[in-house]
Amino acid sequence: MAVRHFNEPRDLAYSKQHSGLFQGKDSWIDKSSRGIFAGRTQRDLFIFAMALGKYRKQKSDSKDRQANIPVQTMAERQKWAVLSVSLANNNDLMCLKDENSLYKEAERYAEEGLKILQSHVDKWGSEYPKFLEAELREILQESKPGIE
């Protein structure tokens, strides 16, 4: 059971332009989808996009914000993944006093991460999982030399 954090927002949001990625029969997370996120949740896709945006150091504001991911449904580890993105930018743990602003920062990274994901899927199509795997191996090797 997830613990309610102090001053966390009610929902996480993404822009309406990305709603097709999250919702509906043709969404990336639909169980019948042939994409890498098939059967995953909106939370999973959001966390992945946020991490990608953070890794690329790219963020942007959402236009037509659509709040569809209830924070109370997030597992504790997912909440801390979101908070850790903003904590990495702050050298002060006191920023945890206002988690709402930290979640907004995560939304900005996720917004850009979704744009990056969409461009990758458009470019590589069904080969995207292979590209992603190669990129993740490269990231792992950069962070821990000697690992293959």
Side-chain angles (χ1 to χ4, degrees):
M1 177 181 216
V3 175
R4 179 143 172 88
H5 290 217
F6 180 73
N7 202 17
E8 69 185 13
R10 183 175 176 197
D11 298 292
L12 281 172
Y14 47 83
S15 69
K16 285 185 181 180
Q17 81 180 55
H18 300 304
S19 63
L21 306 178
F22 286 95
Q23 300 171 327
K25 194 86 171 124
D26 296 327
S27 75
W28 286 357
I29 61 174
D30 187 76
K31 288 179 182 166
S32 62
S33 167
R34 299 183 82 198
I36 62 173
F37 297 104
R40 299 290 180 196
T41 66
Q42 289 185 9
R43 296 180 308 271
D44 296 330
L45 180 53
F46 181 92
I47 297 283
F48 188 88
M50 176 198 67
L52 181 59
K54 174 64 176 162
Y55 176 73
R56 295 279 177 90
K57 297 180 175 106
Q58 296 177 346
K59 57 186 174 178
S60 61
D61 291 322
S62 299
K63 293 180 176 79
D64 298 325
R65 220 172 148 267
Q66 184 170 321
N68 278 334
I69 304 172
V71 171
Q72 69 182 7
T73 65
M74 295 175 72
E76 194 67 17
R77 71 184 189 291
Q78 290 173 319
K79 289 181 181 184
W80 280 106
V82 169
L83 294 172
S84 69
V85 165
S86 293
L87 282 170
N89 294 337
N90 291 295
N91 291 326
D92 184 10
L93 289 176
M94 293 305 289
C95 68
L96 288 171
K97 287 176 67 175
D98 180 18
E99 290 185 9
N100 194 44
S101 64
L102 302 180
Y103 279 85
K104 296 284 185 239
E105 182 78 0
E107 287 178 359
R108 294 179 69 215
Y109 281 115
E111 179 67 22
E112 199 60 34
L114 287 168
K115 291 175 186 175
I116 294 167
L117 277 172
Q118 183 66 63
S119 71
H120 287 177
V121 169
D122 291 346
K123 184 175 181 177
W124 284 286
S126 63
E127 296 297 311
Y128 179 59
K130 291 178 185 172
F131 165 79
L132 182 60
E133 182 181 357
E135 188 173 28
L136 290 173
R137 283 179 196 254
E138 185 178 309
I139 292 168
L140 183 59
Q141 287 175 345
E142 287 174 9
S143 66
K144 296 186 179 188
I147 295 179
E148 293 184 28

